[in-house]
Amino acid sequence: YMDSRTMLQLRYRGGKTLPEQVFDARRPRRVAEVNFIRDYPLEPELLELYRRAVGQRLPVSSLLVPIQSTTTAFGLILLDNFNQAQAFSQADEDLVLALAQQVSLFLENARLIQAAQERARQMEVLSSIVTELTAYLRREDIVGTLLDRLRAIVPYDMATLWLREGERLRVFAVR
């Protein structure tokens, strides 16, 4: 792109553009001849951004391949050719599809690592709660600390701890 920074500002809305259609359909698509009016019904300000990003040129042909796992759509790869109709072959599509699958695996692994790290952080907080609780002798101090520390892993606006007294429950601590 002539102006990559401007291209990064584009945010399509409404599901009508070619990239949005391919993303929603979750199937690759080769476009032999792009009909820009039909394939990119952009609002005037987005059209101006796009034209600036591509140096006032319009794509002649495109290849769009979704990046997805079996359960999650992450995005898509869009290749444009500004000079030639039918610029992309089945072999090109197969190659980009293989790349998209690798990117999908990377993104899914990154998501899983992030989730595991968050879970580990939560477990550390829970472990420190237990450690602190064993240091207290008074029941009132223990339950107050419990609610305070719980906020670090489960954000809340208000918390109430009810404890059993005989056959009834009573509010024992609030935060």
Side-chain angles (χ1 to χ4, degrees):
Y1 291 97
M2 300 294 285
D3 184 349
S4 296
R5 286 186 186 156
T6 299
M7 193 66 181
L8 291 171
Q9 295 175 31
L10 284 178
R11 301 287 184 271
Y12 298 134
R13 303 177 205 91
K16 296 177 184 171
T17 65
L18 187 57
E20 291 169 306
Q21 291 172 22
V22 169
F23 180 80
D24 291 342
R26 297 184 70 165
R27 287 191 314 274
R29 184 167 170 194
R30 278 181 284 141
V31 182
E33 293 187 38
V34 174
N35 176 334
F36 197 80
I37 304 278
R38 179 195 67 218
D39 295 334
Y40 291 88
L42 300 175
E43 298 168 10
E45 67 275 4
L46 290 178
L47 180 58
E48 180 55 36
L49 279 175
Y50 183 86
R51 291 178 63 109
R52 194 171 348 135
V54 297
Q56 304 301 323
R57 301 178 313 158
L58 297 177
V60 176
S61 58
S62 297
L63 172 61
L64 301 95
V65 178
I67 301 169
Q68 61 195 3
S69 68
T70 54
T71 59
T72 306
F74 295 104
L76 64 94
I77 297 170
L78 166 61
L79 303 179
D80 287 323
N81 186 296
F82 289 87
N83 300 310
Q84 177 184 345
Q86 300 179 350
F88 301 102
S89 67
Q90 182 64 50
D92 296 328
E93 182 179 321
D94 293 342
L95 183 63
V96 175
L97 185 58
L99 174 64
Q101 289 169 341
Q102 292 301 310
V103 170
S104 173
L105 288 172
F106 170 78
L107 292 172
E108 185 66 19
N109 286 341
R111 186 193 64 75
L112 291 172
I113 288 168
Q114 185 177 17
Q117 289 171 338
E118 175 62 20
R119 186 71 173 155
R121 186 192 69 76
Q122 291 173 345
M123 295 307 292
E124 285 177 32
V125 170
L126 289 174
S127 177
S128 70
I129 289 172
V130 170
T131 301
E132 282 189 33
L133 289 177
T134 58
Y136 288 103
L137 298 177
R138 291 185 24 206
R139 185 173 168 183
E140 297 82 14
D141 293 334
I142 292 172
V143 295
T145 298
L146 171 78
L147 293 178
D148 291 337
R149 296 301 303 267
L150 185 59
R151 183 180 305 232
I153 56 173
V154 182
Y156 62 82
D157 293 323
M158 197 171 10
T160 308
L161 178 65
W162 295 74
L163 293 178
R164 183 176 171 182
E165 268 188 2
E167 295 299 314
R168 295 189 172 186
L169 288 175
R170 85 169 177 95
V171 174
F172 198 78
V174 296
R175 294 289 188 266

